[in-house]
Short mmCIF file of all heavy atoms in Angstrom, two decimals:
data_model
loop_
_atom_site.label_atom_id
_atom_site.label_comp_id
_atom_site.label_asym_id
_atom_site.label_seq_id
_atom_site.Cartn_x
_atom_site.Cartn_y
_atom_site.Cartn_z
N MET J 99 8.23 -2.76 29.66
CA MET J 99 7.23 -3.41 30.49
C MET J 99 6.35 -2.35 31.13
O MET J 99 6.82 -1.32 31.59
CB MET J 99 7.92 -4.27 31.54
CG MET J 99 6.98 -5.11 32.33
SD MET J 99 7.93 -6.38 33.17
CE MET J 99 6.62 -7.09 34.05
N ALA J 100 5.06 -2.57 31.14
CA ALA J 100 4.12 -1.59 31.69
C ALA J 100 4.21 -1.55 33.21
O ALA J 100 4.37 -2.58 33.86
CB ALA J 100 2.70 -1.94 31.27
N SER J 101 4.12 -0.35 33.75
CA SER J 101 4.15 -0.22 35.20
C SER J 101 2.79 -0.57 35.78
O SER J 101 1.75 -0.35 35.16
CB SER J 101 4.55 1.19 35.61
OG SER J 101 3.55 2.10 35.17
N LYS J 102 2.80 -1.14 36.97
CA LYS J 102 1.55 -1.53 37.62
C LYS J 102 0.91 -0.31 38.24
O LYS J 102 1.58 0.55 38.81
CB LYS J 102 1.80 -2.60 38.66
CG LYS J 102 2.30 -3.88 38.05
CD LYS J 102 2.06 -5.03 38.95
CE LYS J 102 2.46 -6.29 38.21
NZ LYS J 102 1.85 -7.46 38.74
N THR J 103 -0.42 -0.24 38.12
CA THR J 103 -1.17 0.88 38.68
C THR J 103 -1.96 0.39 39.89
O THR J 103 -2.58 -0.68 39.84
CB THR J 103 -2.14 1.46 37.64
OG1 THR J 103 -1.40 1.83 36.48
CG2 THR J 103 -2.87 2.67 38.16
N ASN J 104 -1.92 1.17 40.91
CA ASN J 104 -2.69 0.89 42.11
C ASN J 104 -4.18 0.86 41.74
O ASN J 104 -4.64 1.74 41.02
CB ASN J 104 -2.39 2.00 43.14
CG ASN J 104 -3.13 1.83 44.43
OD1 ASN J 104 -4.02 0.98 44.56
ND2 ASN J 104 -2.77 2.66 45.39
N PRO J 105 -4.95 -0.14 42.19
CA PRO J 105 -6.38 -0.19 41.85
C PRO J 105 -7.14 1.08 42.25
O PRO J 105 -8.02 1.53 41.53
CB PRO J 105 -6.89 -1.40 42.62
CG PRO J 105 -5.70 -2.25 42.85
CD PRO J 105 -4.54 -1.31 42.97
N PHE J 106 -6.79 1.68 43.36
CA PHE J 106 -7.45 2.91 43.79
C PHE J 106 -7.17 4.04 42.81
O PHE J 106 -8.08 4.78 42.40
CB PHE J 106 -6.99 3.29 45.20
CG PHE J 106 -7.67 4.53 45.73
CD1 PHE J 106 -9.01 4.51 46.08
CD2 PHE J 106 -6.95 5.71 45.86
CE1 PHE J 106 -9.64 5.64 46.56
CE2 PHE J 106 -7.57 6.84 46.33
CZ PHE J 106 -8.91 6.82 46.69
N THR J 107 -5.90 4.14 42.38
CA THR J 107 -5.52 5.17 41.40
C THR J 107 -6.23 4.92 40.07
O THR J 107 -6.71 5.86 39.42
CB THR J 107 -3.99 5.16 41.18
OG1 THR J 107 -3.35 5.32 42.44
CG2 THR J 107 -3.57 6.26 40.24
N PHE J 108 -6.30 3.65 39.68
CA PHE J 108 -6.99 3.29 38.44
C PHE J 108 -8.45 3.73 38.48
O PHE J 108 -8.96 4.32 37.53
CB PHE J 108 -6.89 1.78 38.20
CG PHE J 108 -7.67 1.32 37.01
CD1 PHE J 108 -7.23 1.58 35.72
CD2 PHE J 108 -8.87 0.64 37.17
CE1 PHE J 108 -7.94 1.15 34.63
CE2 PHE J 108 -9.60 0.21 36.08
CZ PHE J 108 -9.13 0.47 34.80
N LEU J 109 -9.14 3.45 39.58
CA LEU J 109 -10.55 3.84 39.69
C LEU J 109 -10.71 5.35 39.67
O LEU J 109 -11.68 5.87 39.10
CB LEU J 109 -11.17 3.25 40.97
CG LEU J 109 -11.37 1.73 40.93
CD1 LEU J 109 -11.88 1.24 42.27
CD2 LEU J 109 -12.31 1.34 39.82
N GLN J 110 -9.77 6.07 40.26
CA GLN J 110 -9.82 7.54 40.21
C GLN J 110 -9.67 8.02 38.76
O GLN J 110 -10.37 8.95 38.33
CB GLN J 110 -8.71 8.16 41.06
CG GLN J 110 -8.99 8.14 42.55
CD GLN J 110 -7.85 8.76 43.33
OE1 GLN J 110 -6.68 8.65 42.97
NE2 GLN J 110 -8.20 9.43 44.42
N GLN J 111 -8.76 7.40 38.02
CA GLN J 111 -8.56 7.78 36.62
C GLN J 111 -9.79 7.46 35.78
O GLN J 111 -10.18 8.27 34.92
CB GLN J 111 -7.34 7.05 36.05
CG GLN J 111 -6.03 7.51 36.65
CD GLN J 111 -4.86 6.67 36.21
OE1 GLN J 111 -5.04 5.61 35.61
NE2 GLN J 111 -3.65 7.13 36.51
N VAL J 112 -10.41 6.31 36.03
CA VAL J 112 -11.62 5.95 35.29
C VAL J 112 -12.72 6.96 35.58
O VAL J 112 -13.41 7.42 34.66
CB VAL J 112 -12.07 4.52 35.67
CG1 VAL J 112 -13.47 4.24 35.15
CG2 VAL J 112 -11.09 3.50 35.14
N ARG J 113 -12.89 7.31 36.84
CA ARG J 113 -13.93 8.29 37.21
C ARG J 113 -13.65 9.64 36.57
O ARG J 113 -14.57 10.31 36.09
CB ARG J 113 -13.99 8.40 38.72
CG ARG J 113 -15.15 9.19 39.20
CD ARG J 113 -15.30 9.10 40.69
NE ARG J 113 -16.48 9.84 41.09
CZ ARG J 113 -16.94 9.89 42.30
NH1 ARG J 113 -16.35 9.22 43.25
NH2 ARG J 113 -18.00 10.59 42.57
N SER J 114 -12.39 10.03 36.52
CA SER J 114 -12.01 11.30 35.92
C SER J 114 -12.32 11.31 34.42
O SER J 114 -12.86 12.28 33.89
CB SER J 114 -10.52 11.55 36.15
OG SER J 114 -10.06 12.62 35.38
N GLU J 115 -11.99 10.20 33.73
CA GLU J 115 -12.26 10.12 32.29
C GLU J 115 -13.76 10.05 32.01
O GLU J 115 -14.24 10.63 31.04
CB GLU J 115 -11.55 8.90 31.70
CG GLU J 115 -10.05 9.03 31.64
CD GLU J 115 -9.57 10.19 30.79
OE1 GLU J 115 -10.14 10.41 29.70
OE2 GLU J 115 -8.64 10.89 31.21
N THR J 116 -14.51 9.35 32.84
CA THR J 116 -15.95 9.25 32.66
C THR J 116 -16.62 10.61 32.80
O THR J 116 -17.59 10.91 32.11
CB THR J 116 -16.55 8.25 33.68
OG1 THR J 116 -15.88 7.00 33.55
CG2 THR J 116 -18.03 8.05 33.45
N ALA J 117 -16.08 11.45 33.68
CA ALA J 117 -16.64 12.79 33.87
C ALA J 117 -16.45 13.65 32.62
O ALA J 117 -17.21 14.60 32.40
CB ALA J 117 -16.00 13.46 35.07
N LYS J 118 -15.46 13.34 31.79
CA LYS J 118 -15.19 14.12 30.58
C LYS J 118 -16.11 13.76 29.43
O LYS J 118 -16.19 14.49 28.45
CB LYS J 118 -13.74 13.90 30.13
CG LYS J 118 -12.69 14.41 31.09
CD LYS J 118 -11.32 14.08 30.56
CE LYS J 118 -10.23 14.42 31.56
NZ LYS J 118 -8.90 14.02 31.06
N VAL J 119 -16.81 12.64 29.53
CA VAL J 119 -17.67 12.16 28.45
C VAL J 119 -18.90 13.05 28.32
O VAL J 119 -19.52 13.41 29.31
CB VAL J 119 -18.10 10.70 28.69
CG1 VAL J 119 -19.11 10.24 27.64
CG2 VAL J 119 -16.89 9.79 28.71
N THR J 120 -19.25 13.40 27.09
CA THR J 120 -20.48 14.15 26.83
C THR J 120 -21.57 13.13 26.51
O THR J 120 -21.57 12.53 25.43
CB THR J 120 -20.29 15.11 25.65
OG1 THR J 120 -19.20 15.98 25.93
CG2 THR J 120 -21.55 15.93 25.43
N TRP J 121 -22.46 12.92 27.45
CA TRP J 121 -23.51 11.92 27.29
C TRP J 121 -24.67 12.52 26.51
O TRP J 121 -25.03 13.68 26.70
CB TRP J 121 -23.99 11.44 28.66
CG TRP J 121 -22.91 10.78 29.44
CD1 TRP J 121 -22.19 11.33 30.46
CD2 TRP J 121 -22.39 9.46 29.25
NE1 TRP J 121 -21.26 10.43 30.91
CE2 TRP J 121 -21.36 9.28 30.20
CE3 TRP J 121 -22.69 8.43 28.38
CZ2 TRP J 121 -20.64 8.10 30.29
CZ3 TRP J 121 -21.98 7.25 28.48
CH2 TRP J 121 -20.97 7.09 29.41
N PRO J 122 -25.28 11.75 25.59
CA PRO J 122 -26.42 12.27 24.83
C PRO J 122 -27.64 12.43 25.73
O PRO J 122 -27.81 11.70 26.71
CB PRO J 122 -26.66 11.20 23.77
CG PRO J 122 -26.09 9.95 24.35
CD PRO J 122 -24.95 10.37 25.22
N SER J 123 -28.48 13.38 25.36
CA SER J 123 -29.72 13.57 26.11
C SER J 123 -30.69 12.45 25.77
O SER J 123 -30.49 11.69 24.82
CB SER J 123 -30.34 14.93 25.76
OG SER J 123 -30.79 14.92 24.42
N ARG J 124 -31.76 12.37 26.54
CA ARG J 124 -32.78 11.35 26.28
C ARG J 124 -33.39 11.56 24.89
O ARG J 124 -33.62 10.60 24.15
CB ARG J 124 -33.84 11.41 27.36
CG ARG J 124 -34.90 10.34 27.24
CD ARG J 124 -35.87 10.42 28.43
NE ARG J 124 -36.83 9.36 28.41
CZ ARG J 124 -36.64 8.16 28.94
NH1 ARG J 124 -35.50 7.89 29.55
NH2 ARG J 124 -37.58 7.24 28.88
N ARG J 125 -33.61 12.81 24.52
CA ARG J 125 -34.19 13.13 23.21
C ARG J 125 -33.27 12.69 22.08
O ARG J 125 -33.71 12.09 21.09
CB ARG J 125 -34.47 14.62 23.13
CG ARG J 125 -35.15 15.06 21.84
CD ARG J 125 -35.50 16.55 21.89
NE ARG J 125 -36.26 16.93 20.72
CZ ARG J 125 -35.70 17.31 19.56
NH1 ARG J 125 -34.39 17.36 19.43
NH2 ARG J 125 -36.45 17.64 18.54
N GLU J 126 -31.96 12.99 22.21
CA GLU J 126 -31.00 12.58 21.19
C GLU J 126 -30.94 11.06 21.07
O GLU J 126 -30.85 10.53 19.95
CB GLU J 126 -29.61 13.11 21.54
CG GLU J 126 -29.46 14.61 21.39
CD GLU J 126 -28.14 15.12 21.93
OE1 GLU J 126 -27.60 14.53 22.87
OE2 GLU J 126 -27.66 16.12 21.38
N THR J 127 -31.01 10.38 22.20
CA THR J 127 -30.98 8.92 22.17
C THR J 127 -32.21 8.36 21.48
O THR J 127 -32.12 7.42 20.68
CB THR J 127 -30.89 8.36 23.61
OG1 THR J 127 -29.73 8.92 24.24
CG2 THR J 127 -30.79 6.86 23.62
N MET J 128 -33.38 8.92 21.76
CA MET J 128 -34.62 8.45 21.13
C MET J 128 -34.60 8.70 19.62
O MET J 128 -35.00 7.83 18.84
CB MET J 128 -35.83 9.12 21.77
CG MET J 128 -36.07 8.72 23.21
SD MET J 128 -36.32 6.95 23.43
CE MET J 128 -37.87 6.73 22.62
N ILE J 129 -34.12 9.88 19.22
CA ILE J 129 -34.05 10.20 17.79
C ILE J 129 -33.09 9.24 17.07
O ILE J 129 -33.41 8.71 16.00
CB ILE J 129 -33.63 11.67 17.57
CG1 ILE J 129 -34.76 12.60 18.00
CG2 ILE J 129 -33.22 11.93 16.13
CD1 ILE J 129 -34.39 14.07 18.02
N SER J 130 -31.92 8.99 17.67
CA SER J 130 -30.96 8.08 17.07
C SER J 130 -31.52 6.67 16.97
O SER J 130 -31.33 5.99 15.96
CB SER J 130 -29.66 8.06 17.89
OG SER J 130 -29.06 9.33 17.88
N THR J 131 -32.23 6.24 18.00
CA THR J 131 -32.83 4.91 18.00
C THR J 131 -33.87 4.79 16.89
O THR J 131 -33.90 3.79 16.15
CB THR J 131 -33.47 4.60 19.36
OG1 THR J 131 -32.48 4.71 20.38
CG2 THR J 131 -34.10 3.23 19.39
N MET J 132 -34.71 5.80 16.75
CA MET J 132 -35.73 5.76 15.70
C MET J 132 -35.08 5.78 14.31
O MET J 132 -35.54 5.08 13.39
CB MET J 132 -36.69 6.95 15.84
CG MET J 132 -37.58 6.86 17.07
SD MET J 132 -38.43 5.28 17.27
CE MET J 132 -39.42 5.21 15.81
N MET J 133 -34.00 6.53 14.15
CA MET J 133 -33.30 6.56 12.87
C MET J 133 -32.73 5.18 12.53
O MET J 133 -32.78 4.75 11.36
CB MET J 133 -32.19 7.61 12.88
CG MET J 133 -32.70 9.03 12.86
SD MET J 133 -31.41 10.27 13.05
CE MET J 133 -30.47 10.02 11.56
N VAL J 134 -32.21 4.49 13.53
CA VAL J 134 -31.68 3.14 13.30
C VAL J 134 -32.79 2.20 12.86
O VAL J 134 -32.63 1.43 11.90
CB VAL J 134 -30.97 2.61 14.57
CG1 VAL J 134 -30.69 1.12 14.46
CG2 VAL J 134 -29.68 3.38 14.81
N PHE J 135 -33.95 2.25 13.54
CA PHE J 135 -35.07 1.38 13.16
C PHE J 135 -35.57 1.71 11.75
O PHE J 135 -35.86 0.80 10.97
CB PHE J 135 -36.22 1.49 14.16
CG PHE J 135 -35.99 0.70 15.41
CD1 PHE J 135 -36.00 1.32 16.65
CD2 PHE J 135 -35.77 -0.66 15.37
CE1 PHE J 135 -35.80 0.60 17.81
CE2 PHE J 135 -35.56 -1.40 16.52
CZ PHE J 135 -35.57 -0.77 17.75
N ILE J 136 -35.66 2.99 11.42
CA ILE J 136 -36.13 3.39 10.09
C ILE J 136 -35.15 2.91 9.01
O ILE J 136 -35.56 2.33 8.00
CB ILE J 136 -36.35 4.92 10.02
CG1 ILE J 136 -37.56 5.30 10.87
CG2 ILE J 136 -36.50 5.39 8.58
CD1 ILE J 136 -37.72 6.79 11.10
N MET J 137 -33.86 3.13 9.24
CA MET J 137 -32.87 2.70 8.25
C MET J 137 -32.83 1.18 8.12
O MET J 137 -32.64 0.66 7.01
CB MET J 137 -31.48 3.24 8.61
CG MET J 137 -31.37 4.75 8.43
SD MET J 137 -31.86 5.33 6.78
CE MET J 137 -30.64 4.55 5.76
N ALA J 138 -33.03 0.46 9.22
CA ALA J 138 -33.09 -1.01 9.14
C ALA J 138 -34.30 -1.44 8.32
O ALA J 138 -34.20 -2.38 7.52
CB ALA J 138 -33.15 -1.61 10.54
N GLY J 139 -35.42 -0.74 8.48
CA GLY J 139 -36.61 -1.05 7.69
C GLY J 139 -36.40 -0.76 6.22
O GLY J 139 -36.78 -1.56 5.35
N VAL J 140 -35.78 0.37 5.92
CA VAL J 140 -35.50 0.73 4.53
C VAL J 140 -34.56 -0.31 3.90
O VAL J 140 -34.78 -0.76 2.76
CB VAL J 140 -34.89 2.15 4.43
CG1 VAL J 140 -34.32 2.43 3.05
CG2 VAL J 140 -35.94 3.19 4.80
N ALA J 141 -33.53 -0.71 4.64
CA ALA J 141 -32.60 -1.72 4.12
C ALA J 141 -33.31 -3.04 3.90
O ALA J 141 -33.06 -3.72 2.89
CB ALA J 141 -31.42 -1.89 5.09
N ALA J 142 -34.19 -3.43 4.82
CA ALA J 142 -34.92 -4.69 4.68
C ALA J 142 -35.80 -4.66 3.43
O ALA J 142 -35.83 -5.63 2.67
CB ALA J 142 -35.76 -4.95 5.92
N VAL J 143 -36.51 -3.56 3.20
CA VAL J 143 -37.36 -3.45 2.02
C VAL J 143 -36.51 -3.48 0.75
O VAL J 143 -36.85 -4.16 -0.23
CB VAL J 143 -38.21 -2.15 2.08
CG1 VAL J 143 -38.89 -1.86 0.76
CG2 VAL J 143 -39.23 -2.26 3.20
N PHE J 144 -35.38 -2.76 0.76
CA PHE J 144 -34.50 -2.75 -0.40
C PHE J 144 -34.00 -4.16 -0.73
O PHE J 144 -34.06 -4.58 -1.89
CB PHE J 144 -33.31 -1.81 -0.17
CG PHE J 144 -32.25 -1.93 -1.22
CD1 PHE J 144 -32.42 -1.34 -2.47
CD2 PHE J 144 -31.10 -2.65 -0.99
CE1 PHE J 144 -31.47 -1.47 -3.46
CE2 PHE J 144 -30.13 -2.78 -1.96
CZ PHE J 144 -30.31 -2.19 -3.21
N PHE J 145 -33.49 -4.87 0.26
CA PHE J 145 -32.94 -6.19 -0.01
C PHE J 145 -34.03 -7.19 -0.37
O PHE J 145 -33.81 -8.09 -1.18
CB PHE J 145 -32.10 -6.69 1.17
CG PHE J 145 -30.77 -5.98 1.26
CD1 PHE J 145 -30.47 -5.19 2.35
CD2 PHE J 145 -29.84 -6.11 0.25
CE1 PHE J 145 -29.25 -4.54 2.43
CE2 PHE J 145 -28.62 -5.47 0.32
CZ PHE J 145 -28.32 -4.67 1.42
N PHE J 146 -35.22 -7.04 0.20
CA PHE J 146 -36.33 -7.89 -0.19
C PHE J 146 -36.68 -7.67 -1.67
O PHE J 146 -36.84 -8.62 -2.43
CB PHE J 146 -37.56 -7.62 0.68
CG PHE J 146 -38.77 -8.39 0.25
CD1 PHE J 146 -38.91 -9.73 0.57
CD2 PHE J 146 -39.77 -7.78 -0.50
CE1 PHE J 146 -40.01 -10.45 0.17
CE2 PHE J 146 -40.89 -8.49 -0.91
CZ PHE J 146 -41.01 -9.83 -0.57
N ALA J 147 -36.76 -6.39 -2.07
CA ALA J 147 -37.09 -6.07 -3.46
C ALA J 147 -35.98 -6.53 -4.40
O ALA J 147 -36.27 -7.08 -5.48
CB ALA J 147 -37.32 -4.57 -3.61
N ALA J 148 -34.73 -6.33 -4.03
CA ALA J 148 -33.62 -6.76 -4.88
C ALA J 148 -33.62 -8.28 -5.03
O ALA J 148 -33.42 -8.80 -6.13
CB ALA J 148 -32.29 -6.28 -4.30
N ASP J 149 -33.85 -8.99 -3.93
CA ASP J 149 -33.90 -10.46 -3.98
C ASP J 149 -35.05 -10.94 -4.86
O ASP J 149 -34.88 -11.84 -5.68
CB ASP J 149 -34.04 -11.01 -2.56
CG ASP J 149 -34.08 -12.52 -2.53
OD1 ASP J 149 -33.14 -13.14 -3.07
OD2 ASP J 149 -35.05 -13.07 -1.97
N TRP J 150 -36.21 -10.31 -4.69
CA TRP J 150 -37.37 -10.71 -5.49
C TRP J 150 -37.12 -10.43 -6.98
O TRP J 150 -37.42 -11.28 -7.82
CB TRP J 150 -38.61 -9.94 -5.02
CG TRP J 150 -39.82 -10.30 -5.81
CD1 TRP J 150 -40.65 -11.36 -5.61
CD2 TRP J 150 -40.32 -9.60 -6.95
NE1 TRP J 150 -41.63 -11.36 -6.56
CE2 TRP J 150 -41.47 -10.29 -7.40
CE3 TRP J 150 -39.93 -8.45 -7.63
CZ2 TRP J 150 -42.20 -9.87 -8.50
CZ3 TRP J 150 -40.65 -8.03 -8.72
CH2 TRP J 150 -41.79 -8.75 -9.15
N LEU J 151 -36.55 -9.28 -7.28
CA LEU J 151 -36.28 -8.90 -8.67
C LEU J 151 -35.27 -9.85 -9.31
O LEU J 151 -35.48 -10.31 -10.44
CB LEU J 151 -35.78 -7.47 -8.74
CG LEU J 151 -35.64 -6.86 -10.13
CD1 LEU J 151 -37.00 -6.80 -10.81
CD2 LEU J 151 -35.04 -5.48 -10.03
N MET J 152 -34.19 -10.17 -8.59
CA MET J 152 -33.21 -11.11 -9.15
C MET J 152 -33.79 -12.50 -9.31
O MET J 152 -33.53 -13.18 -10.31
CB MET J 152 -31.96 -11.15 -8.26
CG MET J 152 -31.09 -9.92 -8.41
SD MET J 152 -29.56 -10.05 -7.48
CE MET J 152 -30.08 -9.40 -5.90
N GLY J 153 -34.61 -12.94 -8.37
CA GLY J 153 -35.27 -14.24 -8.50
C GLY J 153 -36.20 -14.28 -9.67
O GLY J 153 -36.26 -15.27 -10.41
N TYR J 154 -36.94 -13.21 -9.89
CA TYR J 154 -37.85 -13.12 -11.03
C TYR J 154 -37.08 -13.15 -12.33
O TYR J 154 -37.45 -13.84 -13.29
CB TYR J 154 -38.69 -11.86 -10.90
CG TYR J 154 -39.70 -11.69 -12.01
CD1 TYR J 154 -40.85 -12.52 -12.07
CD2 TYR J 154 -39.54 -10.73 -13.00
CE1 TYR J 154 -41.76 -12.38 -13.07
CE2 TYR J 154 -40.46 -10.59 -14.01
CZ TYR J 154 -41.58 -11.41 -14.05
OH TYR J 154 -42.50 -11.27 -15.06
N ALA J 155 -35.97 -12.38 -12.38
CA ALA J 155 -35.15 -12.34 -13.61
C ALA J 155 -34.56 -13.71 -13.92
O ALA J 155 -34.55 -14.15 -15.08
CB ALA J 155 -34.04 -11.30 -13.46
N ILE J 156 -34.08 -14.39 -12.89
CA ILE J 156 -33.50 -15.71 -13.11
C ILE J 156 -34.56 -16.70 -13.55
O ILE J 156 -34.33 -17.53 -14.44
CB ILE J 156 -32.77 -16.20 -11.84
CG1 ILE J 156 -31.50 -15.39 -11.66
CG2 ILE J 156 -32.45 -17.68 -11.89
CD1 ILE J 156 -30.76 -15.65 -10.38
N SER J 157 -35.76 -16.61 -12.99
CA SER J 157 -36.83 -17.51 -13.41
C SER J 157 -37.24 -17.27 -14.86
O SER J 157 -37.59 -18.20 -15.58
CB SER J 157 -38.03 -17.41 -12.48
OG SER J 157 -38.66 -16.16 -12.64
N LEU J 158 -37.15 -16.01 -15.32
CA LEU J 158 -37.43 -15.72 -16.73
C LEU J 158 -36.35 -16.27 -17.64
O LEU J 158 -36.62 -16.80 -18.71
CB LEU J 158 -37.55 -14.20 -16.94
CG LEU J 158 -38.83 -13.53 -16.44
CD1 LEU J 158 -38.75 -12.02 -16.68
CD2 LEU J 158 -40.05 -14.10 -17.13
N ILE J 159 -35.10 -16.13 -17.20
CA ILE J 159 -33.97 -16.60 -18.02
C ILE J 159 -33.97 -18.12 -18.12
O ILE J 159 -33.78 -18.68 -19.19
CB ILE J 159 -32.63 -16.08 -17.43
CG1 ILE J 159 -32.55 -14.57 -17.59
CG2 ILE J 159 -31.44 -16.76 -18.10
CD1 ILE J 159 -31.41 -13.92 -16.83
N LEU J 160 -34.17 -18.78 -16.99
CA LEU J 160 -34.09 -20.24 -16.98
C LEU J 160 -35.39 -20.91 -17.41
O LEU J 160 -35.45 -22.12 -17.59
CB LEU J 160 -33.67 -20.75 -15.59
CG LEU J 160 -32.29 -20.29 -15.13
CD1 LEU J 160 -32.00 -20.81 -13.73
CD2 LEU J 160 -31.21 -20.77 -16.10
N GLY J 161 -36.42 -20.13 -17.53
CA GLY J 161 -37.66 -20.63 -18.08
C GLY J 161 -38.51 -21.34 -17.08
O GLY J 161 -39.42 -22.03 -17.34
#
């Protein structure tokens, strides 16, 4: 059975662990965000083209 932790002790531990985190800089965050948007756009174009190509192929096959 887990031992109960005093809420004050818990908050001290949370603060201690949060201090150990290496937070990204604003520049790193902006670059990562832009990379996500670019990759989402690339994926959208790819799936649009694949869907269109398969639809075209099926329309040729089925006449």
Side-chain angles (χ1 to χ4, degrees):
M99 187 164 177
S101 64
K102 295 201 174 202
T103 304
N104 180 351
F106 182 71
T107 305
F108 175 73
L109 289 176
Q110 283 180 325
Q111 291 173 349
V112 168
R113 190 171 182 175
S114 169
E115 290 299 318
T116 305
K118 295 177 187 177
V119 174
T120 303
W121 298 102
S123 68
R124 184 176 184 87
R125 183 175 186 273
E126 289 172 329
T127 304
M128 293 301 292
I129 289 172
S130 297
T131 302
M132 292 310 298
M133 288 174 65
V134 167
F135 281 123
I136 290 169
M137 290 307 296
V140 168
V143 169
F144 170 77
F145 286 116
F146 175 78
D149 180 55
W150 180 84
L151 188 62
M152 285 185 272
Y154 182 72
I156 289 174
S157 69
L158 285 178
I159 292 169
L160 298 178

